[in-house]
Amino acid sequence: RYLQQSGPHYNFSHFDLAHNLKRMALMYGSAEFYKILYRGALDYVLTPIGVTLLLVGLILKQERLAQRLFYYWFAAALVCLLLLPEQFGRHSYYHIHYLPVAAVFMARGFWGVVDRCKADAWGAKPCLLAFALGGSFVILCARYAIPFYTIPHQKSRVIQSSEIVKRVVSKNALIISSVDSPASLLYYADRRGWPVDFSDKGEKAFLMLESLRKQGAQYLV
């Protein structure tokens, strides 16, 4: 409610419960949604090796009661994913919610494999075979991961504009961002301000600019 009052020109519908419930029902029934989640987790965030180690870390026997905390944390991160399906589906950076606790289980899985190899608890040949299969899996999935690590052509202007803002605009100045992904420009330029989508033209746009100028805006990007 505060965000909607402070920025009436921006779309904060994803903070609305009724809107989220409708989107949840829509996205849970979409095969494309699960495909996006799969690619986001496998290629963009954890990588195939990371997913493998995560699963190993999850199934290893708990050595201390306190380790249950990480299972609760991981479960909470999954609940967050279920409550905000639209955000996870549209923005890859939402996967950061489960990345820290996933890293704990990945590390646990890695060292669990190392310790068992040293003790020859599983035998050397099965371990080597598992890593060979995992390496082949990585190679097969690599071509799908490439787009996640490149800047799309249509988004390159955001990066270019943010570099110009860094050079021209002082650190403490407030700006109005109106390029593609206006919130992203504020992030990459490391500046405070308002992300604005000027869907309304003419007098409405002028009145909006004037209102933000009175609130301290000094630059329009």
mmCIF file of all heavy atoms in Angstrom, residues 144-187:
data_model
loop_
_atom_site.group_PDB
_atom_site.id
_atom_site.type_symbol
_atom_site.label_atom_id
_atom_site.label_comp_id
_atom_site.label_asym_id
_atom_site.label_seq_id
_atom_site.Cartn_x
_atom_site.Cartn_y
_atom_site.Cartn_z
ATOM 1 N N TYR A 144 22.291 -24.493 -23.878
ATOM 2 C CA TYR A 144 21.094 -23.830 -23.375
ATOM 3 C C TYR A 144 21.430 -22.748 -22.352
ATOM 4 O O TYR A 144 20.644 -21.834 -22.110
ATOM 5 C CB TYR A 144 20.152 -24.854 -22.737
ATOM 6 C CG TYR A 144 19.627 -25.880 -23.706
ATOM 7 C CD1 TYR A 144 20.133 -27.178 -23.701
ATOM 8 C CD2 TYR A 144 18.636 -25.554 -24.633
ATOM 9 C CE1 TYR A 144 19.657 -28.128 -24.600
ATOM 10 C CE2 TYR A 144 18.160 -26.494 -25.526
ATOM 11 C CZ TYR A 144 18.663 -27.782 -25.507
ATOM 12 O OH TYR A 144 18.199 -28.706 -26.393
ATOM 13 N N ALA A 145 22.625 -22.854 -21.751
ATOM 14 C CA ALA A 145 23.013 -21.908 -20.706
ATOM 15 C C ALA A 145 23.619 -20.627 -21.266
ATOM 16 O O ALA A 145 23.607 -19.592 -20.603
ATOM 17 C CB ALA A 145 24.008 -22.565 -19.747
ATOM 18 N N ILE A 146 24.143 -20.677 -22.495
ATOM 19 C CA ILE A 146 24.846 -19.522 -23.066
ATOM 20 C C ILE A 146 24.021 -18.236 -23.037
ATOM 21 O O ILE A 146 24.530 -17.179 -22.647
ATOM 22 C CB ILE A 146 25.323 -19.845 -24.498
ATOM 23 C CG1 ILE A 146 26.429 -20.909 -24.439
ATOM 24 C CG2 ILE A 146 25.830 -18.593 -25.200
ATOM 25 C CD1 ILE A 146 26.877 -21.395 -25.810
ATOM 26 N N PRO A 147 22.722 -18.260 -23.437
ATOM 27 C CA PRO A 147 21.950 -17.004 -23.430
ATOM 28 C C PRO A 147 21.853 -16.337 -22.057
ATOM 29 O O PRO A 147 21.689 -15.126 -21.971
ATOM 30 C CB PRO A 147 20.560 -17.441 -23.928
ATOM 31 C CG PRO A 147 20.816 -18.683 -24.706
ATOM 32 C CD PRO A 147 21.944 -19.369 -24.004
ATOM 33 N N PHE A 148 21.956 -17.127 -20.982
ATOM 34 C CA PHE A 148 21.855 -16.551 -19.652
ATOM 35 C C PHE A 148 23.090 -15.714 -19.287
ATOM 36 O O PHE A 148 23.040 -14.894 -18.380
ATOM 37 C CB PHE A 148 21.684 -17.658 -18.601
ATOM 38 C CG PHE A 148 20.324 -18.301 -18.628
ATOM 39 C CD1 PHE A 148 20.167 -19.611 -19.028
ATOM 40 C CD2 PHE A 148 19.195 -17.587 -18.258
ATOM 41 C CE1 PHE A 148 18.925 -20.214 -19.050
ATOM 42 C CE2 PHE A 148 17.944 -18.172 -18.270
ATOM 43 C CZ PHE A 148 17.805 -19.486 -18.668
ATOM 44 N N TYR A 149 24.194 -15.935 -19.971
ATOM 45 C CA TYR A 149 25.437 -15.252 -19.625
ATOM 46 C C TYR A 149 25.844 -14.221 -20.670
ATOM 47 O O TYR A 149 26.986 -13.797 -20.718
ATOM 48 C CB TYR A 149 26.548 -16.288 -19.437
ATOM 49 C CG TYR A 149 26.242 -17.247 -18.317
ATOM 50 C CD1 TYR A 149 25.657 -18.498 -18.571
ATOM 51 C CD2 TYR A 149 26.478 -16.903 -16.990
ATOM 52 C CE1 TYR A 149 25.343 -19.366 -17.542
ATOM 53 C CE2 TYR A 149 26.173 -17.771 -15.958
ATOM 54 C CZ TYR A 149 25.606 -18.999 -16.240
ATOM 55 O OH TYR A 149 25.291 -19.845 -15.220
ATOM 56 N N THR A 150 24.905 -13.835 -21.515
ATOM 57 C CA THR A 150 25.141 -12.783 -22.501
ATOM 58 C C THR A 150 24.068 -11.715 -22.348
ATOM 59 O O THR A 150 22.947 -12.008 -21.911
ATOM 60 C CB THR A 150 25.112 -13.339 -23.939
ATOM 61 O OG1 THR A 150 23.845 -13.979 -24.167
ATOM 62 C CG2 THR A 150 26.229 -14.335 -24.157
ATOM 63 N N ILE A 151 24.395 -10.486 -22.699
ATOM 64 C CA ILE A 151 23.443 -9.381 -22.611
ATOM 65 C C ILE A 151 22.646 -9.322 -23.919
ATOM 66 O O ILE A 151 23.238 -9.146 -24.981
ATOM 67 C CB ILE A 151 24.164 -8.041 -22.384
ATOM 68 C CG1 ILE A 151 24.959 -8.099 -21.082
ATOM 69 C CG2 ILE A 151 23.167 -6.886 -22.342
ATOM 70 C CD1 ILE A 151 25.812 -6.866 -20.844
ATOM 71 N N PRO A 152 21.320 -9.487 -23.859
ATOM 72 C CA PRO A 152 20.523 -9.391 -25.089
ATOM 73 C C PRO A 152 20.721 -8.038 -25.765
ATOM 74 O O PRO A 152 20.903 -7.020 -25.099
ATOM 75 C CB PRO A 152 19.082 -9.557 -24.592
ATOM 76 C CG PRO A 152 19.205 -10.230 -23.269
ATOM 77 C CD PRO A 152 20.495 -9.743 -22.679
ATOM 78 N N HIS A 153 20.676 -8.039 -27.079
ATOM 79 C CA HIS A 153 20.918 -6.810 -27.837
ATOM 80 C C HIS A 153 19.963 -5.689 -27.416
ATOM 81 O O HIS A 153 20.376 -4.531 -27.274
ATOM 82 C CB HIS A 153 20.779 -7.091 -29.333
ATOM 83 C CG HIS A 153 20.965 -5.862 -30.184
ATOM 84 N ND1 HIS A 153 22.195 -5.256 -30.342
ATOM 85 C CD2 HIS A 153 20.074 -5.126 -30.902
ATOM 86 C CE1 HIS A 153 22.059 -4.200 -31.133
ATOM 87 N NE2 HIS A 153 20.789 -4.114 -31.485
ATOM 88 N N GLN A 154 18.674 -6.043 -27.210
ATOM 89 C CA GLN A 154 17.705 -5.006 -26.877
ATOM 90 C C GLN A 154 17.907 -4.445 -25.475
ATOM 91 O O GLN A 154 17.371 -3.392 -25.142
ATOM 92 C CB GLN A 154 16.273 -5.536 -27.022
ATOM 93 C CG GLN A 154 15.904 -6.639 -26.028
ATOM 94 C CD GLN A 154 16.234 -8.013 -26.540
ATOM 95 O OE1 GLN A 154 17.106 -8.152 -27.403
ATOM 96 N NE2 GLN A 154 15.543 -9.031 -26.044
ATOM 97 N N LYS A 155 18.691 -5.160 -24.639
ATOM 98 C CA LYS A 155 18.947 -4.675 -23.280
ATOM 99 C C LYS A 155 20.302 -3.989 -23.149
ATOM 100 O O LYS A 155 20.617 -3.435 -22.095
ATOM 101 C CB LYS A 155 18.883 -5.845 -22.293
ATOM 102 C CG LYS A 155 17.530 -6.531 -22.227
ATOM 103 C CD LYS A 155 16.431 -5.606 -21.756
ATOM 104 C CE LYS A 155 15.103 -6.333 -21.663
ATOM 105 N NZ LYS A 155 14.002 -5.437 -21.265
ATOM 106 N N SER A 156 21.105 -4.021 -24.194
ATOM 107 C CA SER A 156 22.443 -3.442 -24.102
ATOM 108 C C SER A 156 22.376 -1.932 -23.854
ATOM 109 O O SER A 156 23.275 -1.368 -23.243
ATOM 110 C CB SER A 156 23.237 -3.732 -25.376
ATOM 111 O OG SER A 156 22.606 -3.158 -26.511
ATOM 112 N N ARG A 157 21.301 -1.294 -24.327
ATOM 113 C CA ARG A 157 21.190 0.161 -24.116
ATOM 114 C C ARG A 157 21.059 0.511 -22.630
ATOM 115 O O ARG A 157 21.433 1.600 -22.223
ATOM 116 C CB ARG A 157 20.008 0.715 -24.909
ATOM 117 C CG ARG A 157 18.643 0.415 -24.329
ATOM 118 C CD ARG A 157 17.545 1.000 -25.193
ATOM 119 N NE ARG A 157 17.063 -0.001 -26.127
ATOM 120 C CZ ARG A 157 16.169 0.266 -27.071
ATOM 121 N NH1 ARG A 157 15.707 1.481 -27.215
ATOM 122 N NH2 ARG A 157 15.741 -0.688 -27.879
ATOM 123 N N VAL A 158 20.516 -0.419 -21.839
ATOM 124 C CA VAL A 158 20.412 -0.186 -20.398
ATOM 125 C C VAL A 158 21.806 -0.087 -19.788
ATOM 126 O O VAL A 158 22.099 0.806 -18.986
ATOM 127 C CB VAL A 158 19.598 -1.304 -19.716
ATOM 128 C CG1 VAL A 158 19.593 -1.113 -18.202
ATOM 129 C CG2 VAL A 158 18.182 -1.333 -20.255
ATOM 130 N N ILE A 159 22.687 -1.023 -20.176
ATOM 131 C CA ILE A 159 24.059 -1.015 -19.671
ATOM 132 C C ILE A 159 24.799 0.231 -20.153
ATOM 133 O O ILE A 159 25.503 0.899 -19.376
ATOM 134 C CB ILE A 159 24.808 -2.282 -20.126
ATOM 135 C CG1 ILE A 159 24.022 -3.546 -19.742
ATOM 136 C CG2 ILE A 159 26.201 -2.322 -19.535
ATOM 137 C CD1 ILE A 159 23.824 -3.719 -18.268
ATOM 138 N N GLN A 160 24.648 0.563 -21.424
ATOM 139 C CA GLN A 160 25.323 1.745 -21.979
ATOM 140 C C GLN A 160 24.842 3.026 -21.303
ATOM 141 O O GLN A 160 25.640 3.898 -20.955
ATOM 142 C CB GLN A 160 25.073 1.802 -23.487
ATOM 143 C CG GLN A 160 25.685 0.645 -24.255
ATOM 144 C CD GLN A 160 25.184 0.552 -25.678
ATOM 145 O OE1 GLN A 160 24.375 1.369 -26.119
ATOM 146 N NE2 GLN A 160 25.641 -0.455 -26.414
ATOM 147 N N SER A 161 23.532 3.131 -21.118
ATOM 148 C CA SER A 161 22.977 4.328 -20.470
ATOM 149 C C SER A 161 23.445 4.449 -19.028
ATOM 150 O O SER A 161 23.740 5.553 -18.549
ATOM 151 C CB SER A 161 21.439 4.283 -20.509
ATOM 152 O OG SER A 161 20.971 4.229 -21.826
ATOM 153 N N SER A 162 23.529 3.324 -18.322
ATOM 154 C CA SER A 162 23.957 3.371 -16.920
ATOM 155 C C SER A 162 25.399 3.852 -16.800
ATOM 156 O O SER A 162 25.747 4.569 -15.852
ATOM 157 C CB SER A 162 23.807 1.988 -16.275
ATOM 158 O OG SER A 162 24.675 1.046 -16.868
ATOM 159 N N GLU A 163 26.256 3.481 -17.758
ATOM 160 C CA GLU A 163 27.643 3.945 -17.735
ATOM 161 C C GLU A 163 27.712 5.454 -17.947
ATOM 162 O O GLU A 163 28.513 6.156 -17.322
ATOM 163 C CB GLU A 163 28.462 3.222 -18.805
ATOM 164 C CG GLU A 163 28.655 1.738 -18.548
ATOM 165 C CD GLU A 163 29.361 1.478 -17.235
ATOM 166 O OE1 GLU A 163 30.309 2.233 -16.903
ATOM 167 O OE2 GLU A 163 28.979 0.534 -16.524
ATOM 168 N N ILE A 164 26.851 5.970 -18.843
ATOM 169 C CA ILE A 164 26.810 7.419 -19.068
ATOM 170 C C ILE A 164 26.314 8.138 -17.821
ATOM 171 O O ILE A 164 26.849 9.184 -17.422
ATOM 172 C CB ILE A 164 25.900 7.745 -20.272
ATOM 173 C CG1 ILE A 164 26.495 7.144 -21.550
ATOM 174 C CG2 ILE A 164 25.709 9.250 -20.429
ATOM 175 C CD1 ILE A 164 25.594 7.263 -22.758
ATOM 176 N N VAL A 165 25.281 7.580 -17.179
ATOM 177 C CA VAL A 165 24.746 8.184 -15.954
ATOM 178 C C VAL A 165 25.822 8.255 -14.878
ATOM 179 O O VAL A 165 25.958 9.258 -14.167
ATOM 180 C CB VAL A 165 23.525 7.387 -15.449
ATOM 181 C CG1 VAL A 165 23.112 7.860 -14.057
ATOM 182 C CG2 VAL A 165 22.358 7.538 -16.412
ATOM 183 N N LYS A 166 26.623 7.201 -14.753
ATOM 184 C CA LYS A 166 27.692 7.195 -13.756
ATOM 185 C C LYS A 166 28.685 8.326 -13.985
ATOM 186 O O LYS A 166 29.200 8.918 -13.033
ATOM 187 C CB LYS A 166 28.422 5.849 -13.773
ATOM 188 C CG LYS A 166 27.647 4.704 -13.156
ATOM 189 C CD LYS A 166 28.479 3.430 -13.198
ATOM 190 C CE LYS A 166 27.751 2.262 -12.567
ATOM 191 N NZ LYS A 166 28.570 1.017 -12.606
ATOM 192 N N ARG A 167 28.960 8.626 -15.263
ATOM 193 C CA ARG A 167 29.930 9.677 -15.579
ATOM 194 C C ARG A 167 29.342 11.079 -15.424
ATOM 195 O O ARG A 167 30.044 11.999 -15.010
ATOM 196 C CB ARG A 167 30.439 9.493 -17.014
ATOM 197 C CG ARG A 167 31.244 8.240 -17.245
ATOM 198 C CD ARG A 167 32.064 8.339 -18.535
ATOM 199 N NE ARG A 167 31.217 8.607 -19.689
ATOM 200 C CZ ARG A 167 30.724 7.659 -20.487
ATOM 201 N NH1 ARG A 167 30.984 6.387 -20.229
ATOM 202 N NH2 ARG A 167 29.982 7.978 -21.522
ATOM 203 N N VAL A 168 28.075 11.233 -15.748
ATOM 204 C CA VAL A 168 27.476 12.570 -15.844
ATOM 205 C C VAL A 168 26.770 12.993 -14.552
ATOM 206 O O VAL A 168 26.855 14.158 -14.143
ATOM 207 C CB VAL A 168 26.478 12.620 -17.023
ATOM 208 C CG1 VAL A 168 25.749 13.966 -17.057
ATOM 209 C CG2 VAL A 168 27.202 12.358 -18.334
ATOM 210 N N VAL A 169 26.082 12.054 -13.918
ATOM 211 C CA VAL A 169 25.215 12.378 -12.781
ATOM 212 C C VAL A 169 25.950 12.131 -11.469
ATOM 213 O O VAL A 169 26.570 11.075 -11.285
ATOM 214 C CB VAL A 169 23.925 11.534 -12.834
ATOM 215 C CG1 VAL A 169 23.024 11.868 -11.651
ATOM 216 C CG2 VAL A 169 23.193 11.775 -14.147
ATOM 217 N N SER A 170 25.884 13.093 -10.562
ATOM 218 C CA SER A 170 26.531 12.948 -9.259
ATOM 219 C C SER A 170 25.877 11.830 -8.456
ATOM 220 O O SER A 170 24.713 11.484 -8.681
ATOM 221 C CB SER A 170 26.468 14.255 -8.478
ATOM 222 O OG SER A 170 25.123 14.598 -8.193
ATOM 223 N N LYS A 171 26.617 11.288 -7.510
ATOM 224 C CA LYS A 171 26.183 10.121 -6.750
ATOM 225 C C LYS A 171 24.886 10.374 -5.979
ATOM 226 O O LYS A 171 24.046 9.484 -5.834
ATOM 227 C CB LYS A 171 27.291 9.718 -5.769
ATOM 228 C CG LYS A 171 27.034 8.430 -5.011
ATOM 229 C CD LYS A 171 27.248 7.214 -5.867
ATOM 230 C CE LYS A 171 27.174 5.943 -5.038
ATOM 231 N NZ LYS A 171 27.356 4.727 -5.838
ATOM 232 N N ASN A 172 24.697 11.572 -5.487
ATOM 233 C CA ASN A 172 23.551 11.881 -4.632
ATOM 234 C C ASN A 172 22.346 12.414 -5.398
ATOM 235 O O ASN A 172 21.312 12.706 -4.795
ATOM 236 C CB ASN A 172 23.952 12.897 -3.558
ATOM 237 C CG ASN A 172 24.999 12.338 -2.610
ATOM 238 O OD1 ASN A 172 24.983 11.145 -2.285
ATOM 239 N ND2 ASN A 172 25.925 13.175 -2.171
ATOM 240 N N ALA A 173 22.461 12.578 -6.705
ATOM 241 C CA ALA A 173 21.362 13.148 -7.490
ATOM 242 C C ALA A 173 20.246 12.119 -7.675
ATOM 243 O O ALA A 173 20.491 10.912 -7.740
ATOM 244 C CB ALA A 173 21.869 13.610 -8.846
ATOM 245 N N LEU A 174 19.019 12.604 -7.755
ATOM 246 C CA LEU A 174 17.861 11.766 -8.016
ATOM 247 C C LEU A 174 17.527 11.843 -9.501
ATOM 248 O O LEU A 174 17.527 12.926 -10.088
ATOM 249 C CB LEU A 174 16.656 12.239 -7.195
ATOM 250 C CG LEU A 174 16.808 12.162 -5.675
ATOM 251 C CD1 LEU A 174 15.584 12.752 -4.996
ATOM 252 C CD2 LEU A 174 17.003 10.724 -5.224
ATOM 253 N N ILE A 175 17.240 10.682 -10.102
ATOM 254 C CA ILE A 175 16.971 10.657 -11.538
ATOM 255 C C ILE A 175 15.620 9.994 -11.822
ATOM 256 O O ILE A 175 15.095 9.240 -11.000
ATOM 257 C CB ILE A 175 18.082 9.924 -12.316
ATOM 258 C CG1 ILE A 175 18.078 8.427 -11.975
ATOM 259 C CG2 ILE A 175 19.444 10.533 -12.032
ATOM 260 C CD1 ILE A 175 19.059 7.616 -12.803
ATOM 261 N N ILE A 176 15.094 10.285 -12.997
ATOM 262 C CA ILE A 176 13.902 9.616 -13.508
ATOM 263 C C ILE A 176 14.365 8.719 -14.651
ATOM 264 O O ILE A 176 14.917 9.195 -15.633
ATOM 265 C CB ILE A 176 12.864 10.629 -14.026
ATOM 266 C CG1 ILE A 176 12.471 11.611 -12.919
ATOM 267 C CG2 ILE A 176 11.626 9.903 -14.546
ATOM 268 C CD1 ILE A 176 11.635 12.779 -13.429
ATOM 269 N N SER A 177 14.147 7.431 -14.514
ATOM 270 C CA SER A 177 14.574 6.469 -15.535
ATOM 271 C C SER A 177 13.377 6.070 -16.386
ATOM 272 O O SER A 177 12.342 5.664 -15.859
ATOM 273 C CB SER A 177 15.182 5.238 -14.871
ATOM 274 O OG SER A 177 15.409 4.228 -15.822
ATOM 275 N N SER A 178 13.543 6.179 -17.728
ATOM 276 C CA SER A 178 12.435 5.859 -18.617
ATOM 277 C C SER A 178 12.879 5.064 -19.834
ATOM 278 O O SER A 178 12.239 5.092 -20.863
ATOM 279 C CB SER A 178 11.723 7.138 -19.077
ATOM 280 O OG SER A 178 10.579 6.828 -19.824
ATOM 281 N N VAL A 179 13.987 4.339 -19.737
ATOM 282 C CA VAL A 179 14.424 3.470 -20.838
ATOM 283 C C VAL A 179 13.814 2.088 -20.648
ATOM 284 O O VAL A 179 13.036 1.867 -19.725
ATOM 285 C CB VAL A 179 15.965 3.361 -20.876
ATOM 286 C CG1 VAL A 179 16.589 4.709 -21.138
ATOM 287 C CG2 VAL A 179 16.491 2.782 -19.570
ATOM 288 N N ASP A 180 14.158 1.138 -21.521
ATOM 289 C CA ASP A 180 13.719 -0.250 -21.310
ATOM 290 C C ASP A 180 14.246 -0.729 -19.964
ATOM 291 O O ASP A 180 15.390 -0.479 -19.604
ATOM 292 C CB ASP A 180 14.274 -1.160 -22.416
ATOM 293 C CG ASP A 180 13.615 -0.878 -23.752
ATOM 294 O OD1 ASP A 180 12.530 -0.284 -23.743
ATOM 295 O OD2 ASP A 180 14.204 -1.242 -24.786
ATOM 296 N N SER A 181 13.403 -1.435 -19.211
ATOM 297 C CA SER A 181 13.773 -1.904 -17.867
ATOM 298 C C SER A 181 14.269 -0.732 -17.017
ATOM 299 O O SER A 181 15.428 -0.708 -16.598
ATOM 300 C CB SER A 181 14.857 -2.982 -17.939
ATOM 301 O OG SER A 181 14.422 -4.081 -18.699
ATOM 302 N N PRO A 182 13.409 0.255 -16.745
ATOM 303 C CA PRO A 182 13.851 1.449 -16.014
ATOM 304 C C PRO A 182 14.408 1.156 -14.626
ATOM 305 O O PRO A 182 15.357 1.806 -14.197
ATOM 306 C CB PRO A 182 12.581 2.307 -15.939
ATOM 307 C CG PRO A 182 11.446 1.361 -16.158
ATOM 308 C CD PRO A 182 11.969 0.320 -17.085
ATOM 309 N N ALA A 183 13.833 0.155 -13.941
ATOM 310 C CA ALA A 183 14.366 -0.190 -12.622
ATOM 311 C C ALA A 183 15.776 -0.767 -12.738
ATOM 312 O O ALA A 183 16.622 -0.548 -11.863
ATOM 313 C CB ALA A 183 13.449 -1.183 -11.925
ATOM 314 N N SER A 184 16.037 -1.487 -13.842
ATOM 315 C CA SER A 184 17.371 -2.059 -14.045
ATOM 316 C C SER A 184 18.411 -0.963 -14.227
ATOM 317 O O SER A 184 19.543 -1.075 -13.753
ATOM 318 C CB SER A 184 17.376 -2.973 -15.272
ATOM 319 O OG SER A 184 16.531 -4.079 -15.070
ATOM 320 N N LEU A 185 18.040 0.123 -14.897
ATOM 321 C CA LEU A 185 18.990 1.216 -15.091
ATOM 322 C C LEU A 185 19.381 1.839 -13.752
ATOM 323 O O LEU A 185 20.555 2.144 -13.516
ATOM 324 C CB LEU A 185 18.413 2.284 -16.013
ATOM 325 C CG LEU A 185 19.406 3.401 -16.354
ATOM 326 C CD1 LEU A 185 19.361 3.748 -17.831
ATOM 327 C CD2 LEU A 185 19.142 4.654 -15.528
ATOM 328 N N LEU A 186 18.407 2.021 -12.876
ATOM 329 C CA LEU A 186 18.715 2.559 -11.548
ATOM 330 C C LEU A 186 19.699 1.646 -10.817
ATOM 331 O O LEU A 186 20.610 2.114 -10.137
ATOM 332 C CB LEU A 186 17.434 2.709 -10.725
ATOM 333 C CG LEU A 186 16.428 3.763 -11.199
ATOM 334 C CD1 LEU A 186 15.162 3.704 -10.352
ATOM 335 C CD2 LEU A 186 17.026 5.169 -11.135
ATOM 336 N N TYR A 187 19.510 0.345 -10.982
ATOM 337 C CA TYR A 187 20.389 -0.617 -10.313
ATOM 338 C C TYR A 187 21.803 -0.559 -10.882
ATOM 339 O O TYR A 187 22.782 -0.430 -10.134
ATOM 340 C CB TYR A 187 19.814 -2.022 -10.470
ATOM 341 C CG TYR A 187 20.729 -3.115 -9.992
ATOM 342 C CD1 TYR A 187 20.852 -3.412 -8.633
ATOM 343 C CD2 TYR A 187 21.495 -3.856 -10.894
ATOM 344 C CE1 TYR A 187 21.697 -4.410 -8.195
ATOM 345 C CE2 TYR A 187 22.344 -4.849 -10.469
ATOM 346 C CZ TYR A 187 22.438 -5.126 -9.116
ATOM 347 O OH TYR A 187 23.285 -6.101 -8.691
#
